[in-house]
C-alpha cells in the first residue's frame, strides 16, 4: 500500500498493472462489485454484453490476506482480472499442491487500463506448484519520423517472459 502511495505522490497520473503471487485468497469476491464495472462496459463498444459476467473462481476460500488485498483494490480502484475475462471465465487455480489448490496469483489493473487487457490464461504445468499465468494486453505506440513527419507505427509484442 505504501509503495503505491509513494508512486502516486511522485506520478499522480500513473496507472498500475500489478501481478504475481499475492498469497491472498479472495474467492469470488471482487472489489468492483459482482460484475465487470458498468463504466467500463459503457465506454467500450468492443465489449460483448454476452461476455460480461460476474467474476468467478474455483477457489471459494477467503482469508485475511485476501480481505487486505480487496481493501487495497478498492482504495486504489484496481480491477482483479482473474476470473473476470472470458478467457478465464472459470477462475482457474493458480497454485496446486498436495495440500490443496487455490487462486493466489493475480493480475490487478487500474480501471483505466482494463480495456487494454484482452485475456488472462492459467497454463497447466508441472514444474512448479504455481501455474504460469499469462496476460495479453493490446497496446499501440505512436512514433513520428524526424521532422515530425511519418505515420504512427504499431508495435506488437506478443509475449513478455519474466526471468526472475
Amino acid at each position: 500500500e505504501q509503495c503505491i502511495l509513494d508512486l502516486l505522490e511522485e506520478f499522480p497520473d500513473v496507472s498500475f498493472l500489478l501481478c504475481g503471487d499475492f498469497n491472498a485468497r479472495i474467492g469470488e469476491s471482487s472489489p468492483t462489485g459482482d460484475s465487470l464495472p458498468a463504466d467500463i462496459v459503457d465506454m467500450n463498444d468492443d465489449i460483448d454484453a454476452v461476455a460480461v459476467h460476474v467474476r468467478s473462481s474455483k477457489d471459494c476460500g477467503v482469508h485475511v490476506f485476501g480481505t487486505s488485498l480487496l481493501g487495497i483494490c478498492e482504495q486504489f480502484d484496481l480491477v482483479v482480472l482473474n476470473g473476470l475475462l472470458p478467457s478465464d471465465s472459470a477462475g482457474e487455480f493458480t497454485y496446486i499442491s498436495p495440500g490443496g489448490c487455490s487462486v493466489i496469483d493475480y493480475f490487478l489493473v487500474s480501471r483505466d487500463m482494463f480495456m487494454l487487457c484482452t485475456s488472462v490464461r492459467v497454463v497447466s504445468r508441472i514444474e512448479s506448484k504455481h501455474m504460469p499465468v499469462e496476460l495479453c494486453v493490446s497496446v499501440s505506440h505512436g512514433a513520428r519520423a524526424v521532422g515530425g513527419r511519418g505515420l504512427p507505427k504499431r508495435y506488437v509484442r506478443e509475449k513478455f517472459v519474466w526471468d526472475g
Side-chain angles (χ1 to χ4, degrees):
E1 181 178 6
Q2 188 59 51
C3 180
I4 294 173
L5 288 170
D6 291 345
L7 285 168
L8 285 172
E9 185 175 320
E10 189 170 348
F11 308 101
D13 296 328
V14 72
S15 296
F16 292 97
L17 165 62
L18 306 174
C19 58
D21 177 1
F22 289 87
N23 199 25
R25 296 177 67 189
I26 64 172
E28 291 186 331
S29 300
S30 176
T32 56
D34 293 332
S35 63
L36 199 65
D39 60 329
I40 290 172
V41 175
D42 291 343
M43 64 188 205
N44 187 355
D45 295 334
D46 295 333
I47 295 179
D48 182 358
V50 176
V52 175
H53 62 283
V54 296
R55 189 178 164 277
S56 300
S57 181
K58 288 187 173 181
D59 184 359
C60 298
V62 178
H63 63 46
V64 67
F65 293 142
T67 303
S68 295
L69 181 62
L70 288 168
I72 289 171
C73 289
E74 287 178 23
Q75 180 179 356
F76 297 107
D77 204 19
L78 301 172
V79 177
V80 178
L81 296 178
N82 302 62
L84 185 60
L85 297 176
S87 56
D88 184 37
S89 61
E92 295 295 332
F93 291 118
T94 63
Y95 182 80
I96 299 173
S97 75
C101 302
S102 59
V103 177
I104 57 175
D105 305 287
Y106 297 99
F107 282 108
L108 313 173
V109 296
S110 297
R111 182 182 301 267
D112 62 338
M113 287 186 62
F114 176 81
M115 292 184 335
L116 301 175
C117 302
T118 58
S119 71
V120 169
R121 187 171 70 106
V122 179
V123 182
S124 182
R125 302 287 296 259
I126 60 169
E127 293 88 1
S128 171
K129 293 177 183 174
H130 289 271
M131 300 296 105
V133 184
E134 176 182 284
L135 172 65
C136 292
V137 180
S138 174
V139 294
S140 62
H141 173 73
R144 298 248 176 227
V146 176
R149 296 187 182 177
L151 297 173
K153 296 181 181 178
R154 183 174 170 104
Y155 297 92
V156 177
R157 172 85 173 156
E158 291 187 13
K159 189 172 190 177
F160 293 93
V161 177
W162 183 339
D163 190 13

